Amino acid sequence: MTTDDSSAAGRAYRHLRDAILEGGFAPGQMLGESGLAEDLGMSRTPVRAALARLQEEQWVTIYPKRGALVNGLSDRDISEIADARYMLEASAAQRATAVTTERLLPRLEESLREQEAALEDGDLPLFIDLTTGFHRMFVEMGGNAVLLEMSDRLADRRRFMLFRQGERLIERRAAMIAEHRALIEALRSGDVARFAESLRAHLRDTHNAAVEPLGFVP
């Protein structure tokens, strides 16, 4: 494959992935190589490479001579991802030191202000980027690079889950900001159990998903 083909494949991959995550292509929709190539202004070869990569990530299933079926996430997938996020973020908060938490608080406060402004403007993509980074900071403060990598591997699925909520996120913007504020205040007070319960309720209500509580080791 030439460098140009590689670049085109990368562009095709990013375009198709973003369209799937942001709702441009609906789960169950069949995508054809020829139509995609025409829309993207490129040959079918990079589109084929992009679809193969998306299949590896389980976003599509390729059917030879028919196209690629968009998979999305099932309700069970969403519940399990919300549960995994809860375990990662809550356990990291438990392991964080007082110094690490204190250093993180100004960044969380700045993010919260930016989230509020994005929601007031109705800028859903910006809010999703901001809230994803906000929750990433909770894992970051645990100081475990492997757990942070695991969290980052869920990033695209988090984006899909949030875009799936659509205008509902804008409609409950006051609740979202209040829930994020509660998380910050729980950290500020050093009450890890309150943080965990606030996080569990937040994830449950945002994604309408069952999230099992964690027991905390002193």
Side-chain angles (χ1 to χ4, degrees):
M1 183 177 291
T2 67
T3 301
D4 287 343
D5 283 340
S6 297
S7 177
R11 292 198 306 273
Y13 165 76
R14 289 188 294 273
H15 175 86
L16 297 176
R17 180 199 61 189
D18 289 348
I20 291 170
L21 300 184
E22 297 175 12
F25 297 135
Q29 183 174 347
M30 186 69 78
L31 307 178
E33 283 183 12
S34 297
L36 293 173
E38 183 177 352
D39 290 343
L40 294 172
M42 59 180 66
S43 71
R44 293 172 59 180
T45 300
V47 171
R48 186 178 302 119
L51 290 173
R53 184 173 173 185
L54 289 165
Q55 179 169 248
E56 290 175 0
E57 297 174 359
Q58 300 180 356
W59 288 115
V60 303
T61 300
I62 296 173
Y63 293 92
K65 300 183 180 180
R66 292 180 56 198
L69 184 71
V70 178
N71 293 326
L73 296 174
S74 68
D75 289 342
R76 178 174 179 176
D77 291 333
I78 289 171
S79 289
E80 290 181 350
I81 292 165
D83 201 41
R85 286 185 55 198
Y86 168 67
M87 288 188 282
L88 286 168
E89 294 176 29
S91 61
Q94 183 183 16
R95 299 181 62 173
T97 66
V99 172
T100 300
T101 302
E102 191 64 28
R103 287 175 179 169
L104 186 66
L105 287 171
R107 292 171 57 198
L108 291 168
E109 292 281 4
E110 180 181 5
S111 175
L112 189 61
R113 288 191 294 271
E114 293 173 344
Q115 291 170 46
E116 191 167 17
L119 286 173
E120 286 298 326
D121 291 342
D123 191 337
L124 187 60
L126 177 58
F127 172 73
I128 288 174
D129 285 344
L130 289 168
T131 191
T132 298
F134 180 79
H135 280 275
R136 185 184 189 275
M137 284 189 262
F138 298 141
V139 183
E140 181 184 334
M141 69 183 177
N144 187 309
V146 174
L147 292 180
L148 188 59
E149 181 183 354
M150 291 172 65
S151 177
D152 286 343
R153 288 175 63 184
L154 295 174
D156 281 351
R157 283 162 173 75
R158 290 201 301 267
R159 282 181 64 197
F160 178 89
M161 289 163 64
L162 289 168
F163 272 106
R164 182 175 182 258
Q165 299 298 318
E167 288 302 311
R168 180 171 176 269
L169 292 181
I170 303 296
E171 292 169 2
R172 63 183 303 266
R173 56 183 176 269
M176 294 284 289
I177 294 300
E179 290 163 11
H180 283 178
R181 167 60 63 192
L183 293 172
I184 293 175
E185 294 308 321
L187 287 180
R188 196 189 309 278
S189 68
D191 191 337
V192 178
R194 178 157 63 94
F195 172 86
E197 183 52 33
S198 297
L199 175 65
R200 187 171 77 91
H202 171 59
L203 293 173
R204 181 195 63 211
D205 294 345
T206 300
H207 300 297
N208 191 27
V211 181
E212 296 298 323
L214 282 176
F216 285 85
V217 179

